[in-house]
Amino acid sequence: MYSKHLSRVATAVALAIAIPIAGASINTLAPVPAQAASAAESLVENFHAGLLAAMKQASSLGYAGRYKKLEPLVKRTFGMETMVQIIVGPEWSKLSAAERQALVAAFSDWVVANYASRFNGWEGESFVTTGVTDGGRNTVVVQTEIRPQNVKLGYRVLNGKVVDVYLSGSVSQLAQWRSEFASVLKQQGAQGLAAKLKTSERQLAN
């Protein structure tokens, strides 16, 4: 867990996905085509709007209601399959179509559960977009800030999906997950990881 100063919102958003892209920096300041910048900015701002709506209704919705409300939002915002590919690494090519589908589904549901569990209230936070820059390799980075905590978040967008989120410019949650899940994948394979994610999802609901 990050420091209390970051608030539950920053902690939850940090759970959104971070994929390192070689040769690209979040601080790249190259100009971005207006159409690409506008589409990426709209994607992130729609995501933020949905998060805030869930937070403001958190008590009345309860966990199950928040999950139901956030599920379509999270799954249409993030490139889940891309993220799972990064977690699995080279072994992805060896998985069957059924194994891939099951793992992506389990991972997606688990990410939604994390948001539903953590977005359980509102303390006056707001999300503000501060700019859009070139992220390299056909990506753009939507730079945002959580106020009044002044927590900076950068969303890397590729092909209309968020594939990377940086907290304070450096925290890569997906890199941490890849390290965390490596032993499970090695010892139990894709089925073992899917089972672990499902177990964790059920625990988050309690």
Side-chain angles (χ1 to χ4, degrees):
M1 172 126 355
Y2 300 103
S3 67
K4 186 176 180 181
H5 173 73
L6 297 180
S7 83
R8 78 164 64 87
V9 183
T11 301
V13 174
L15 285 169
I17 318 310
I19 301 176
I21 299 180
S25 169
I26 196 169
N27 295 317
T28 302
L29 298 178
V32 178
Q35 185 174 357
S38 177
E41 186 173 346
S42 294
L43 177 71
V44 172
E45 291 186 344
N46 286 339
F47 177 59
H48 283 166
L51 290 179
L52 285 175
M55 291 169 63
K56 291 177 180 180
Q57 303 172 45
S59 296
S60 59
L61 287 171
Y63 172 84
R66 293 195 301 274
Y67 187 102
K68 183 177 181 180
K69 189 177 185 68
L70 290 172
E71 181 178 19
L73 174 69
V74 172
K75 291 184 178 181
R76 70 172 175 260
T77 300
F78 294 98
M80 297 295 187
E81 183 170 336
T82 300
M83 293 184 277
V84 174
Q85 281 186 262
I86 296 296
I87 289 173
V88 174
E91 295 300 311
W92 176 260
S93 64
K94 301 178 184 179
L95 300 181
S96 68
E99 287 175 322
R100 292 180 182 183
Q101 184 176 7
L103 188 53
V104 171
F107 178 76
S108 300
D109 291 344
W110 177 71
V111 172
V112 176
N114 273 282
Y115 277 104
S117 175
R118 285 171 164 75
F119 280 94
N120 58 1
W122 181 63
E123 299 172 352
E125 299 91 345
S126 63
F127 294 92
V128 178
T129 300
T130 59
V132 182
T133 58
D134 184 359
R137 298 204 174 190
N138 298 315
T139 70
V140 297
V141 177
V142 181
Q143 299 173 339
T144 72
E145 190 173 289
I146 301 175
R147 295 177 181 172
Q149 293 86 353
N150 297 321
V151 176
K152 298 182 186 302
L153 300 169
Y155 292 81
R156 192 185 299 275
V157 177
L158 173 68
N159 296 328
K161 298 284 186 180
V162 171
V163 295
D164 198 336
V165 177
Y166 292 93
L167 174 62
S168 299
S170 62
V171 177
S172 171
Q173 185 66 59
L174 194 63
Q176 295 178 19
W177 283 341
R178 185 176 183 180
S179 176
E180 177 185 345
F181 296 151
S183 62
V184 178
L185 283 166
K186 183 176 181 179
Q187 297 171 17
Q188 303 176 38
Q191 291 183 345
L193 179 55
K196 176 181 174 67
L197 291 169
K198 289 179 180 178
T199 297
S200 180
E201 180 193 345
R202 289 193 293 270
Q203 292 171 343
L204 287 168
N206 296 328

